[in-house]
Amino acid sequence: MNYRHAYHAGNFGDVLKHATLALVIEHLKQKPAPFRVIDTHAGVGLYELDNGPAEKTEEWRQGIGRLYGPDAKPPPKELVPLLAPYFAAVTAENAPGELRRYPGSPRLARTLMRQQDRLIVNELHPQDGLALKELFARDAQTKVLQLDGWIALKSLLPPKERRGVILVDPPYEQPGELERLAKGLREATSRFPTGIYLLWYPIKDPRVIETFHKAVTALNLQKLLVAELMIRRPRDVTRLNGTGLLMLNPPYRLDGMLAALLPFFASRLGEGPDASHRLIWLTGEPD
Ligand SMILES: C[S@@+](CC[C@H](N)C(=O)[O-])C[C@H]1O[C@@H](n2cnc3c(N)ncnc32)[C@H](O)[C@@H]1O
């Protein structure tokens, strides 16, 4: 386990993932019934951008740093409501006008949840798992586990609230992780078919992603939406050229929100005119 998210916190992949997760949580909050957020590969939960690994790589400067904080132009007016939940979670960690800390998915979810909602975060790396335990040590609404994420996924479903979002965000260190994702989705949905699932993936070689899309389409799930952002043309397929999110049972109108956000992300986070985006329904019709 070499991957440490601290080197990548706040990068363009995090922006797409976290802005979408925030919109999903806001959707769940429209009803008073409690919901549960399950984060199977959680990281440490909160990152310092001006210190340690994130400061070394500065990946966040091509991510959240272009959207929020002292060096960022404000987003266009019409996108402000769509970015508001995501930015609210970032604002919660920073002094006014600053961008020094960045919430990972656990902290973002925790900031946006209500009193009746629950969060389960799971992280296998011993040190990162411990940091996560410390972060939520006195929090009765959050449970921290240190299991293999795929085992956690099976054992935590269905949640007792029967409503919620499951984020599956593995590090893709091992070959075959995309196949594992498709298998994990099949097993998870057999236990909790009505959950909202967000599965993050990196895009190096787009041909590999097409094969993955075929594999998940073959699962015969009802509503599968894909959002992808390419920051450059994939000429060198050893680089992280883009990022994708596979969404099962996305909330009503999330596709329209992403259709508005993706061109903005491509223009702000991309490397010039070669940046691109796409939003496709692999199965199911738009609402
Ligand atoms: C991409 S990061 C997670 C980032 C986090 N979800 C966020 O958005 O802030 C992936 C995490 O999975 C952890 N990990 C690696 N293998 C795992 C496994 N088998 N089970 C659970 N976690 C694992 C890594 O230590 C790493 O912290």
Side-chain angles (χ1 to χ4, degrees), residues 5 8 45 56 79 81 103 120 129 162 173 192 202 214 218 268:
H5 196 65
H8 312 290
K56 276 204 192 95
L79 298 184
I120 303 199
R162 305 271 163 171
E173 282 181 307
F192 184 36
K214 283 194 185 122
R268 278 286 175 92

Side-chain angles (χ1 to χ4, degrees), residues 1 3 5 17-18 41-43 104-105 123-125 148-149 169 171:
M1 291 182 69
Y3 181 94
H5 196 65
K17 178 201 338 173
H18 293 157
H41 298 71
S105 47
E123 167 59 50
L124 188 63
H125 191 286
D148 174 75
D169 185 18

